[in-house]
């Protein structure tokens, strides 16, 4: 037998079987005691044992102290993200801030080796648990029993009602089976093209954008994730197996959100079985205070100062900036970088 101490059922005492209740209980009790003479004693022992006694006491206190419960009970959502300094983390922060009145937010953040559980309450984020995995997550497609068990425990302990995944990196497809076990809906936000190809940015060996349709010829496409970078035969080959395996996540999602129609259409071209019913376009937004009068018009005789914010890399235009600076020869343009830059842009501007 199992006792579920997380579920409360309202029962109106004496309403079952109406007038026949007492007679039926007496007859049934006598039959049980004839078959199992120790039944009454064992039941009494079970219901007075410390684990169940504590649960009964906690229930009694909760029902006798309704004044201790303040505010509105909000649905609990778990955001699943990988540890990063990029825009994805800012998106999640904006979401939990904007939805606090209606949802109680928890965040499970993973760097592959360590998991952090954060709770957002009263406009503040706090870390409530940190877990070091015995074995790191290397490949999101492969089962990782420990990660699955930790996720299941978090869902139960914090009574999560739906999950919002922002990336599968540093996580595993175990998410699908665990959420299905608990019948918890999943929202999947698409932040890049990782599920189409592990190149993430859909650039071939010549840095040509391919839209996920392999360009002609052979070559080693650049893969930013170290684990997948060592797998040969991606182009024209293994990428098909990748999509077949990763499609499990897209099928499991109850809703898929992308920042633009182009992204959804591109995903549909590679995963034609995706139902339009669960696809949504929601543009990225940021709660930023307007800063006026920051820019200045160019001063005659001085170079035009160009601010380049963010983490600038190959797929974000680093080669273009490098070529532009080369053509200018330092005469008319002065680049100012606000963020990390690759080695190829060192000395090109002001950091």
């Amino acid at each position: 037998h199992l006792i579920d101490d997380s579920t409360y059922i309202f029962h109106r005492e004496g309403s079952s079987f109406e007038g026949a209740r007492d007679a039926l209980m007496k007859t049934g009790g006598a039959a049980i005691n004839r078959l199992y003479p120790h039944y009454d004693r064992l039941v009494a022992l079970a219901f007075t044992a410390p684990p169940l006694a504590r649960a009964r006491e906690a229930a009694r206190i909760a029902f006798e102290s309704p004044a201790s419960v303040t505010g509105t009970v909000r649905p609990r959502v778990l955001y699943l993200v990988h540890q990063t300094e990029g825009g994805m983390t800012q998106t999640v922060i904006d979401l939990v801030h904007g939805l606090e009145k209606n949802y109680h937010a928890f965040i499970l953040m993973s760097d592959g080796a360590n998991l952090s559980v954060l709770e957002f309450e009263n406009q503040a984020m706090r870390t409530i648990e940190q877990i070091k995995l015995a074995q790191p997550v290397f490949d999101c497609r492969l089962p990782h029993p420990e990660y699955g068990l930790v996720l299941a425990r978090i869902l139960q302990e914090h009574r999560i009602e739906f999950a919002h995944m922002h990336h599968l990196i540093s996580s595993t497809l175990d998410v699908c089976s665990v959420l299905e076990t608990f019948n918890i809906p999943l929202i999947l936000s698409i932040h890049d093209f990782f599920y189409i190809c592990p190149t993430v940015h859909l650039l071939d060996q010549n840095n040509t954008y391919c839209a996920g349709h392999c360009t002609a010829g052979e070559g080693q496409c650049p893969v930013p994730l170290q684990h997948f970078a060592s797998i040969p035969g991606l182009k024209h080959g293994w990428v098909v197996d990748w999509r077949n395996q990763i499609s499990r996540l897209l099928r499991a999602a109850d809703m898929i959100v992308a920042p633009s129609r182009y992204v959804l259409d591109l995903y549909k071209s590679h995963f034609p079985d995706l139902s339009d019913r669960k696809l949504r376009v929601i543009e990225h937004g940021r709660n930023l205070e307007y800063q006026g009068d920051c820019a200045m018009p160019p001063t005659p005789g001085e170079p035009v100062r160009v601010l380049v914010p963010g983490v600038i890399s190959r797929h974000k235009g680093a080669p273009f900036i490098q070529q532009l600076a080369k053509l200018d020869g330092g005469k008319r343009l002065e680049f100012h970088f606000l963020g990390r830059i690759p080695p190829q842009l060192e000395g090109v501007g002001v950091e």
Side-chain angles (χ1 to χ4, degrees), residues 41-98:
R41 182 174 64 85
L42 292 175
V43 168
L45 287 173
F47 275 76
T48 56
L52 191 54
R54 287 194 295 268
R56 289 163 63 90
E57 178 65 9
R60 183 190 67 78
I61 293 173
F63 277 100
E64 291 181 0
S65 307
S68 64
V69 181
T70 59
T72 302
V73 177
R74 296 161 295 160
R76 294 180 163 221
V77 54
L78 179 66
Y79 293 91
L80 298 154
V81 301
H82 74 94
Q83 197 159 339
T84 176
E85 299 176 354
M88 184 187 67
T89 302
Q90 296 302 316
T91 296
V92 173
I93 291 174
D94 275 356
L95 283 173
V96 298
H97 273 274

Side-chain angles (χ1 to χ4, degrees), residues 306-312 335-341 350-351:
V306 181
L307 178 65
V308 184
V311 179
I312 306 304
F335 293 98
H336 291 253
F337 298 106
L338 184 61
R340 292 201 308 269
I341 60 173
V350 180
E351 297 183 41

Side-chain angles (χ1 to χ4, degrees), residues 55-309:
R56 289 163 63 90
E57 178 65 9
R60 183 190 67 78
I61 293 173
F63 277 100
E64 291 181 0
S65 307
S68 64
V69 181
T70 59
T72 302
V73 177
R74 296 161 295 160
R76 294 180 163 221
V77 54
L78 179 66
Y79 293 91
L80 298 154
V81 301
H82 74 94
Q83 197 159 339
T84 176
E85 299 176 354
M88 184 187 67
T89 302
Q90 296 302 316
T91 296
V92 173
I93 291 174
D94 275 356
L95 283 173
V96 298
H97 273 274
L99 297 175
E100 185 184 18
K101 289 184 179 179
N102 300 310
Y103 294 94
H104 190 167
F106 294 82
I107 298 174
L108 177 59
M109 187 173 291
S110 171
D111 66 3
N114 303 281
L115 305 178
S116 298
V117 183
L118 301 94
E119 180 182 18
F120 187 80
E121 190 76 340
N122 298 321
Q123 291 293 301
M125 193 85 71
R126 67 185 182 98
T127 300
I128 57 177
E129 186 178 4
Q130 292 183 314
I131 306 117
K132 183 176 180 61
L133 297 175
Q135 294 293 330
V137 175
F138 287 113
D139 191 328
C140 60
R141 301 165 303 145
L142 303 180
H144 194 291
E146 184 185 10
Y147 180 91
L149 289 173
V150 170
L151 175 61
R153 176 179 61 78
I154 291 169
L155 295 174
Q156 290 179 297
E157 287 184 359
H158 300 293
R159 304 184 298 282
I160 301 301
E161 295 174 70
F162 75 92
H164 189 170
M165 171 166 271
H166 284 262
H167 221 295
L168 191 61
I169 292 177
S170 299
S171 179
T172 77
L173 287 174
D174 293 315
V175 168
C176 302
S177 56
V178 173
L179 292 176
E180 288 168 359
T181 298
F182 290 97
N183 196 30
I184 293 177
L186 171 64
I187 298 174
L188 175 65
S189 280
I190 295 175
H191 291 271
D192 51 38
F193 303 116
F194 178 68
Y195 308 123
I196 293 176
C197 179
T199 58
V200 181
H201 311 121
L202 306 185
L203 300 177
D204 71 2
Q205 71 276 12
N206 298 314
N207 288 331
T208 300
Y209 179 67
C210 69
H213 303 283
C214 296
T215 55
E218 300 299 325
Q220 186 68 28
C221 302
V223 178
L225 304 173
Q226 185 177 2
H227 175 74
F228 300 114
S230 61
I231 299 177
L234 172 64
K235 192 176 183 182
H236 300 299
W238 183 68
V239 66
V240 178
D241 295 328
W242 167 267
R243 289 176 194 149
N244 288 337
Q245 295 174 59
I246 217 73
S247 63
R248 178 185 175 193
L249 176 63
L250 302 178
R251 294 195 304 270
D254 296 276
M255 180 181 293
I256 298 175
V257 177
S260 70
R261 173 53 57 183
Y262 174 82
V263 173
L264 280 187
D265 289 344
L266 188 60
Y267 266 86
K268 279 281 289 183
S269 71
H270 293 285
F271 302 97
D273 293 336
L274 284 179
S275 170
D276 290 331
R277 176 184 55 81
K278 64 180 185 180
L279 302 180
R280 298 289 187 277
V281 174
I282 301 178
E283 297 178 357
H284 287 324
R286 292 287 181 269
N287 291 328
L288 302 174
E289 293 184 8
Y290 176 73
Q291 302 289 338
D293 300 325
C294 292
M296 296 180 62
T299 302
E302 296 184 9
V304 176
R305 296 173 179 85
V306 181
L307 178 65
V308 184

Side-chain angles (χ1 to χ4, degrees), residues 339-350:
R340 292 201 308 269
I341 60 173
Q344 69 195 86
L345 289 182
E346 291 179 0
V348 170
V350 180

Side-chain angles (χ1 to χ4, degrees), residues 324-336:
L324 190 61
K326 183 179 179 181
L327 292 172
D328 177 61
K331 297 176 181 177
R332 292 187 295 172
L333 301 176
E334 181 180 287
F335 293 98
H336 291 253

Side-chain angles (χ1 to χ4, degrees), residues 29-44:
I32 288 290
N33 284 313
R34 283 197 305 271
L35 292 172
Y36 308 101
H38 304 299
Y39 176 80
D40 286 341
R41 182 174 64 85
L42 292 175
V43 168

